[in-house]
Amino acid sequence: MKTALVTGGAGFIGSHIVDAYLERGWRVVVIDDLSTGERHNVDRRAELYVVDIRDAASIISEVQPDLVSHHAAQIDVRKSVADPAEDADINIVGSIRLLQACVAAHVKRFIFASSGGAGYGEPVFAPQTEEHPIRPLSPYGCAKVAVESYMTYFREVHGLSTVALRYANVYGPRQNTKGEAGVIAIFADRMLRGEPVTINGSGEQTRDFVFVRDVVAASMAVTEHPELKGAYNVGTGVETSINVLYDEMAKILGTPAAAIHAPAKAGEQMRSVLDGALLRNAGSLGHCVPLAEGLRETIDFFRRS
C-alpha cells in the first residue's frame, strides 16, 4: 500500500486531498497543528499528527511516505504584511525543512500548493499562463515563489521529484468562514444568517474562482503522472468580479438586499485569472466545474452545517 503524507490535511483543501487518496486505497498520514484546520475534517481512516510543520521532519522519517502533499501554510496575506519574518519562518523555512526530510527519507514525490494570483501579481496579460512574469506583491506571495525555487534546487541537485500547483481562488465545502481568505465562504455564511455583506472597494476587482473538486483532480493528475514537474496553473480562465459573484449568490439564496461597499483594502490586486490549459491537457482533465454549479453545492453545504 502506498503512503501519502498531507500537511495541512485538516484544512479546507487539504482534507479534500486526504479523502481523494483514501478513496484510491492509499494509507494517509496528516500533519496539521489545527491552528486553522478542524479535526472533524479528517477522515477517521487517516492518521493525524497534531504538530507544526517546522517540527515534522521526524514524522516523515518515521512514516517513510511515498508522496508528500504540502498544503500547510500561514495563509493570511494581511498577517504576512504585518510580520513578514514570521510568515517566512512558517512558509519558507518550514517548507525547506520538509524538503530536506523528504530527501533523507527517499520520498518519491513532493507536491506543493502554490498560488497563481499571489505569485504573478497584477496581470501583464490575461489569462495568466505559467510564462507570466513573477511579481508577487505580498510577503505571502514572495514565500510561495521562494519555495518553488527551492523545489527546483531539490529536484535538480538531490533528485526529488517535485511539482507546484499554482491555485487560483479555491472555493467549496469546508472552507473557513473566518479571516480574510475565502470570500465565497464568508459571503455564504453572512447571507445565510441574514446579515449584510460588505464588499471592499468598487467590487469590480476580478478573481478566478476554481471549485475544490477541480483542485483535487489536478492533484491526482500530478500524482498519477510523475513525469510532470515544475509549476502548473490550476484555474478556470474565467474572470468574475466580486459584484457579479455577490449577485449570483444572492440569486441562489433569494437575498433581496444589496451589498454594502467599504473602502478598498490597500494593495489589493484588481485582476487575477489563470490559464489552466497546460495541466488540463497534460493530465487529461475535463472541463472545470461552472461557477453557478459550484456555488450551489457550496451554499448547500453551509446551509446544512
Side-chain angles (χ1 to χ4, degrees):
M1 179 185 294
K2 292 182 180 179
T3 298
L5 186 147
V6 182
T7 73
F12 160 45
I13 302 172
S15 64
H16 286 280
I17 300 292
V18 168
D19 292 348
Y21 282 118
L22 288 170
E23 288 167 7
R24 286 160 174 76
W26 290 55
R27 173 196 177 199
V28 181
V29 175
V30 172
I31 291 176
D32 200 300
D33 67 0
L34 301 182
S35 58
T36 57
E38 301 286 349
R39 191 181 295 267
H40 63 75
N41 283 341
V42 183
D43 190 293
R44 292 182 180 181
R45 293 172 293 172
E47 303 162 40
L48 173 62
Y49 289 79
V50 181
V51 64
D52 190 298
I53 55 166
R54 291 168 288 187
D55 303 316
S58 62
I59 297 170
I60 292 175
S61 176
E62 173 191 336
V63 171
Q64 295 282 307
D66 296 278
L67 175 148
V68 170
S69 178
H70 180 28
H71 283 76
Q74 190 299 108
I75 62 171
D76 192 319
V77 173
R78 286 179 294 185
K79 285 185 179 178
S80 80
V81 171
D83 193 346
E86 176 67 7
D87 181 82
D89 191 46
I90 298 169
N91 290 349
I92 300 178
V93 177
S95 298
I96 294 169
R97 288 178 177 170
L98 289 177
L99 287 161
Q100 287 179 303
C102 286
V103 170
H106 306 291
V107 171
K108 298 181 179 68
R109 186 71 155 155
F110 186 93
I111 301 171
F112 176 55
S114 191
S115 172
Y120 296 132
E122 285 291 349
V124 175
F125 57 83
Q128 294 156 298
T129 67
E130 289 82 356
E131 301 304 315
H132 190 280
I134 300 296
R135 302 193 307 181
L137 297 175
S138 68
Y140 170 79
C142 291
K144 291 295 189 183
V145 172
V147 173
E148 286 193 23
S149 294
Y150 276 101
M151 288 167 62
T152 300
Y153 160 74
F154 277 93
R155 183 174 66 246
E156 298 299 329
V157 176
H158 296 284
L160 176 63
S161 175
T162 64
V163 62
L165 297 178
R166 294 173 177 169
Y167 296 157
N169 286 66
V170 188
Y171 73 99
R174 301 182 197 160
Q175 189 161 27
N176 196 325
T177 60
K178 307 297 187 291
E180 70 149 10
V183 63
I184 290 174
I186 294 167
F187 281 11
D189 181 61
R190 295 191 69 84
M191 294 166 86
L192 286 166
R193 293 174 186 273
E195 298 173 354
V197 168
T198 300
I199 295 175
N200 295 304
S202 68
E204 290 306 303
Q205 59 268 41
T206 63
R207 295 294 182 266
D208 182 346
F209 294 105
V210 60
F211 194 52
V212 68
R213 193 158 61 241
D214 290 318
V215 170
V216 171
S219 189
M220 295 305 104
V222 297
T223 296
E224 293 158 5
H225 294 274
E227 72 278 6
L228 299 179
K229 61 183 181 179
Y232 294 91
N233 289 340
V234 182
T236 70
V238 178
E239 279 183 275
T240 303
S241 75
I242 304 303
N243 287 334
V244 168
L245 172 69
Y246 177 82
D247 290 343
E248 287 292 319
M249 295 181 70
K251 188 187 306 178
I252 293 169
L253 283 162
T255 302
I260 299 168
H261 285 265
K265 290 191 292 185
E268 182 179 21
Q269 285 180 229
M270 281 304 296
R271 298 182 70 196
S272 180
V273 55
L274 304 185
D275 185 337
L278 186 63
L279 182 59
R280 279 201 296 275
N281 293 333
S284 301
L285 297 171
H287 295 294
C288 293
V289 175
L291 181 60
E293 179 183 334
L295 286 176
R296 282 192 294 271
E297 190 170 328
T298 303
I299 289 169
D300 284 345
F301 169 83
F302 284 111
R303 188 181 275 125
R304 296 192 305 270
S305 299

